[in-house]
Amino acid sequence: MSGEIQNDSLAEKKWLNALANGDATALGGLYELYGERIFRYAYRMLGNRSDAEDATAETFLRVLRRSGELRADGAFRTWLFRITRNLCIDKMRQHKLLDLPGDATVSGGEDRTTLRVTIQQALSELPIEYRDPLILCDLEDISAKEAAEVLKISVPALKSRLYRGRRALRDKLGGSLEKVQ
Amino acid sequence: MSHETYRKLVDLYAGDELPTELKEELELAATRDPDLRADMTSLKHTVDLVKQHDPVSFTEESFQRILMKLYTHGVPAETRAPLDPHWQYRLPLSG
């Protein structure tokens, strides 16, 4: 696992340096490295594939626009998640105005699908300050320290929101939780 | 340890953040307190459920659509392996 992280960080450094030197094709390398995580994060924030694809593409376009300022100092991934988060919040505001629905179905067995939809629905109903830490820490398995950096809050504040979010999610899941116990 | 302190430890218990000794002490306390036990069980179950929540699938179609969006903005992003014209199957060479 640590070898994987080291390889990722070496690859990140290589692509960022190439971008900084004006090689726009290096964006493809960064997209291969982080595209999936960014897409998953956006999907969980937004609840539908189409918007998540838009947010992911826009995130990488911003990487290109800021390529001269980016440094491979370990903060790039945090910055990437923060950009995606801001784009997702913008999209959520648009959805609030337009009242667009999320994806109704996801692949999998019927029970699992129902559970996934129920969890996704419950997540999407949580206030953003609770949803963010839950997605980053419990779903994306990002450390509390890094999640706090993405959200620009302290670690104790992050944990407080995470704990409250878990309790709020439990309350929302209510009956569904009993069924799968 | 007081009842109130045990209550405060439930969040840490649910996230598997408690050291073993404290976890065992809390579980013992829960055998004497049904409310505490219910709180611990349901919260832990919620966290486990969320952590096991199936990952969102990043399909080949999504990968390509995002890449296309980058291309349409004039980004010459290249990925490591070009796709077969038919994504699903790589046909074996005969011979």
Side-chain angles (χ1 to χ4, degrees), chain B residues 24-78:
Chain B
E24 286 171 358
E25 191 179 333
L26 185 64
E27 283 171 343
L28 187 66
T31 60
R32 302 183 295 263
D33 184 340
D35 287 345
L36 177 65
R37 176 152 202 83
D39 193 28
M40 283 166 61
T41 311
S42 62
L43 197 60
K44 178 94 177 75
H45 188 56
T46 304
V47 175
D48 289 346
L49 206 60
V50 171
K51 287 190 172 177
Q52 289 160 17
H53 185 40
D54 285 355
V56 175
S57 59
F58 187 46
T59 60
E60 187 61 48
E61 289 85 348
S62 284
F63 179 89
Q64 293 298 330
R65 275 196 294 265
I66 294 166
L67 207 54
M68 282 301 144
K69 286 176 202 285
L70 295 177
Y71 286 144
T72 55
H73 283 84
V75 180
E78 283 174 12

Side-chain angles (χ1 to χ4, degrees), chain A residues 16 27 32 44 51 92 121 140-142 145 165 174 177:
Chain A
L16 284 177
L27 193 70
E32 282 203 353
R44 282 172 172 144
D51 280 340
M92 281 149 62
Q121 178 74 27
E140 288 305 318
D141 211 18
I142 285 177
K145 185 174 176 288
L177 209 56

Side-chain angles (χ1 to χ4, degrees), chain A residues 32 53-54 112 159 170, chain B residues 17 39 54 62 69 80:
Chain A
E32 282 203 353
E53 287 172 3
D54 284 347
R112 288 184 76 81
K159 291 213 165 190
R170 174 184 65 180
Chain B
E17 294 174 78
D39 193 28
D54 285 355
S62 284
K69 286 176 202 285
R80 152 184 85 216

Side-chain angles (χ1 to χ4, degrees), chain A residues 68-141:
Chain A
E69 308 158 36
L70 301 173
R71 297 284 173 269
D73 58 1
F76 174 69
R77 192 173 79 155
T78 306
W79 179 82
L80 206 55
F81 273 97
R82 196 180 296 149
I83 292 295
T84 313
R85 177 178 180 268
N86 291 340
L87 288 165
C88 289
I89 289 174
D90 287 347
K91 282 206 174 285
M92 281 149 62
R93 287 195 186 119
Q94 289 167 12
H95 278 208
K96 220 168 193 176
L97 291 173
L98 300 170
D99 201 20
L100 296 177
D103 286 353
T105 56
V106 280
S107 58
E110 199 176 328
D111 287 349
R112 288 184 76 81
T113 303
T114 308
L115 187 60
R116 281 179 64 176
V117 171
T118 306
I119 294 175
Q120 185 64 47
Q121 178 74 27
L123 269 174
S124 69
E125 287 171 5
L126 287 181
I128 189 76
E129 65 263 32
Y130 293 163
R131 195 188 325 169
D132 263 335
L134 268 171
I135 293 175
L136 289 170
C137 298
D138 286 348
L139 289 164
E140 288 305 318
D141 211 18

